[in-house]
Amino acid sequence: MSFARKVWHLIVAVKDALSLVFLLLFFFALYSLLTARPNPAAVREGALLLELDGVVVEEKSPVDPLSIILSGTAPTGEFDVQELVHAIDEAATDDRIKAVVLDLGGFLGGGQVHLQDIGAALDRVRAAKKPVLTWATVYTDDSLLLASHASEVWVDTLGGAVVLGPGGNRLYYGSLLEKLDVNARVYKVGTYKSAVEPYVLDGMSEPARENYSQLYGSLWAEWQANVQKARPQVRLARSSQQPAEWLAAAGGDAATAAKSAGLVDRLGDRVGFGKRVAEIVGKDRWDERPGAFAFTELEPWLADKPLPDDGAAIGVVTIAGEIVDGDAGPGTAGGDRIAEILDKALADDIKGLVVRVDSPGGSVLASEEIRRAILRHKERGIPVAVSMANLAASGGYWVSTPANRIFAEPETITGSIGIFAVIPTFEKAAANWGVYADGVKTTPLSGQPDVIGGLPPEADAVMQSYVEDGYADFIERVARSRRMTPARVDEIGQGRVWDGGTARQIGLVDQYGGLDDALSWVAAQAKLGDGEWHADFLGDEASTGDTLLRQLVMGDEARRNSDRDLAGQFAFRQNAMVAQLAGDLERLLGVNGMQAYCLECAPVVRQAPPRRTDGWLASLLRIFA
């Protein structure tokens, strides 16, 4: 027995030692991969290949390895719009790049302003006498907007194109909450402030319908005008307004119908497309597979072409996503985090500040914290400009009020000057289950808010007064910033949402332009000439580890599975409805303060359908999970 015990102890010791060695090797390899940088030496002569498997964003969100392990699903790909524009512009002037190729098979879209910025960069490539080619299984509105700027648009023979247009239905829970005996207590100011309507109504109110009919009509007109200008041969009327007849005329063949309408130029699979690209840029010397061509990917190209840093610095702070209290982000605008970024920059010798806003708003407290931090820069006497991207609504406009000048695009969604709060109480539901609340109170507000016992009239009155005062503060900040009377701001406020073109006409925006225009204006105000300044994006540097982690976890198999046919595209859109339901529930039951948030103009949730991670790192993570 003594000998057997010693053998057993030896086996256990060997096992523990091997486990420790394996763990050390694994985490060393993981550390090496996550701290590695893309290698500029990987840049080759050929095409700049942009495999846009995901969504274009103003600011990329960090990847959470733990959530990947627990869910076993790959994260949605994200592409920074400024990086994409910079990469494409560099491709236009570099002799090593013979063409720009966009693989849109797994593209999930982006905001109209972002896509227009990328489209303008593609136009500059074509102006440099370099072709731009795109391929996809199915094109929808966002990918069509990008593809319209290409010199050759390819679609798979089993795919097609579909024009959907902005708008659609959203969920309303008024009757459901009534049946569940949930009392959604709404406190708001603004006739058009529709963010609370889903909790009290069964459909859109007439003021909200009027507002969003005008907004979506403007966005739809801009989309059509942009596509038609970039691609004059396209015939949008029938494909968008009579889709069934249009498709039937092509015998149900969506690819042929897309070509007949001028939405695409050529039909072919990925291999055929690759052969066409190889005719232009050359074959891949190291890849013998059919359709292989010489190319450089985005990450090594960006490593070889960093943003300029010569001359004086003009700071750029990004406010992207919902504005929330705390340190959230990037990708979400945590008030504490952004205020800290701005306060740290006070010690830097920046000559001006550009606030880049792409947000539907959110917490009033967080919005005010960010506004105050921007004002601390303005007090130094430096010029401050706001550059609005796709969204600068509600709290997104609140943080814009310190600017000396506001830039926006016609497709920008802004305004929504209004305030609300929602507190659900369950006194009826509790009574149905025999649960009641009782006690001793020293004031009318003792123990409030009481979600089981309900709120007394005094509590309702206090909350409404508090929200009305918040609206008055909002009005006062806008009036002072835009040199308007409070009565005029109230007239164009009331929670109404405006497109960028109308916002300029009524004085909420100063001029059309993007981030570059705002930077140039600030440079001119700071008396800096061309070549004497550079944009300094404030905050933590984007993590290369995040990008590598996405690539390693997703793997090539997940990339190949990202393509969807026409039926798959329609099925995929159900994810947005599920995400909407989850978001509405969080807004109702979450611990939220007073909100300056625009529900209808919040970005469409573009989330990849759940899929099993297939990279080799994902396999290791599953083993440990």
Side-chain angles (χ1 to χ4, degrees), residues 165-189:
N169 291 332
R170 68 158 298 108
L171 300 176
Y172 288 80
Y173 315 99
S175 292
L176 173 63
L177 294 178
E178 186 177 344
K179 289 178 180 179
L180 296 175
D181 289 324
V182 175
N183 187 1
R185 296 172 180 267
V186 169
Y187 312 95
K188 73 161 188 167
V189 181

Side-chain angles (χ1 to χ4, degrees), residues 463-529:
M463 285 300 303
Q464 183 62 33
S465 295
Y466 181 62
V467 168
E468 289 175 1
D469 181 66
Y471 180 69
D473 289 341
F474 203 164
I475 292 292
E476 180 269 332
R477 283 155 176 71
V478 176
R480 188 177 345 131
S481 169
R482 307 309 300 165
R483 296 179 177 86
M484 297 179 183
T485 64
R488 173 56 179 161
V489 177
D490 183 48
E491 181 183 345
I492 63 178
Q494 292 291 321
R496 182 157 191 147
V497 184
W498 304 97
D499 62 277
T502 308
R504 185 186 179 193
Q505 294 173 12
I506 62 178
L508 291 178
V509 168
D510 291 303
Q511 72 180 73
Y512 293 144
L515 179 58
D516 288 342
D517 298 291
L519 284 165
S520 297
W521 183 86
V522 168
Q525 296 300 304
K527 297 181 170 54
L528 297 171

Side-chain angles (χ1 to χ4, degrees), residues 228-301:
Q228 202 78 59
K229 179 182 177 181
R231 196 171 179 82
Q233 71 271 31
V234 74
R235 294 178 292 280
L236 288 172
R238 194 177 187 200
S239 58
S240 61
Q241 301 303 326
Q242 298 176 307
E245 293 88 341
W246 167 64
L247 188 58
D253 187 332
T256 300
K259 187 176 180 182
S260 70
L263 297 171
V264 304
D265 299 310
R266 303 181 67 171
L267 312 184
D269 61 13
R270 198 187 291 272
V271 171
F273 174 72
K275 290 179 178 178
R276 170 58 181 152
V277 176
E279 293 175 2
I280 300 171
V281 306
K283 295 182 178 180
D284 192 327
R285 290 180 293 172
W286 292 280
D287 192 343
E288 299 296 329
R289 290 178 296 177
F293 56 88
F295 66 89
T296 296
E297 292 183 314
L298 177 62
E299 292 302 326
W301 181 247

